[in-house]
Amino acid sequence: MFNRSARRLARAIWEPNHWITLFKSFLICEAPFEYLRRYIFAAGPYPWRMVIRTPSGNHAVVLDRFEDIFTVNEIILWEIYRIRESARVFIDIGGNVGLASLYFL
């Protein structure tokens, strides 16, 4: 059931981004418990279809592999593309599953 070591899970408790994932997944994900199960325990078959709540409505995305969960975290939950005063230019190379486009939508 656990594809991560107990030591790694214990260290993760102190990481602020994991807490952001924990709380924001209930706001963003239609199935937050399933999302957290996959994120925390690296469990579940892929591809996996999930629904993300956005200001423009609900959008279904298909995650082809476990690593796509990290892309959802970075772009949707952690909002790494959020405009900051110091940022004047950013470049998106387009190397993910289309979630940056969904974020900017």
Side-chain angles (χ1 to χ4, degrees):
M1 176 177 174
F2 297 104
N3 290 331
R4 298 180 190 257
S5 70
R7 183 177 182 183
R8 184 173 179 184
L9 288 172
R11 275 195 330 245
I13 292 171
W14 305 107
E15 292 292 328
N17 281 338
H18 297 307
W19 289 99
I20 291 170
T21 298
L22 177 66
F23 292 113
K24 285 186 82 175
S25 63
F26 286 92
L27 300 173
I28 305 285
C29 303
E30 187 177 75
F33 291 109
E34 178 61 19
Y35 181 81
L36 290 170
R37 181 180 77 87
R38 289 169 181 271
Y39 177 68
I40 294 168
F41 302 117
Y46 288 90
W48 177 55
R49 181 184 177 274
M50 69 174 292
V51 176
I52 298 174
R53 295 184 190 110
T54 72
S56 66
N58 293 352
H59 298 279
V61 296
V62 176
L63 306 182
D64 291 322
R65 59 192 160 281
F66 168 70
E67 292 79 14
D68 292 341
I69 291 279
F70 298 114
T71 306
V72 172
N73 276 336
E74 290 175 353
I75 295 174
I76 305 296
L77 287 105
W78 300 348
E79 297 185 83
I80 62 170
Y81 289 137
R82 184 173 9 135
I83 303 299
R84 293 163 175 76
E85 288 183 30
S86 62
R88 294 174 41 174
V89 175
F90 70 89
I91 299 171
D92 179 34
I93 303 300
N96 66 47
V97 293
L99 292 169
S101 298
L102 182 61
Y103 178 78
F104 289 116
L105 180 65

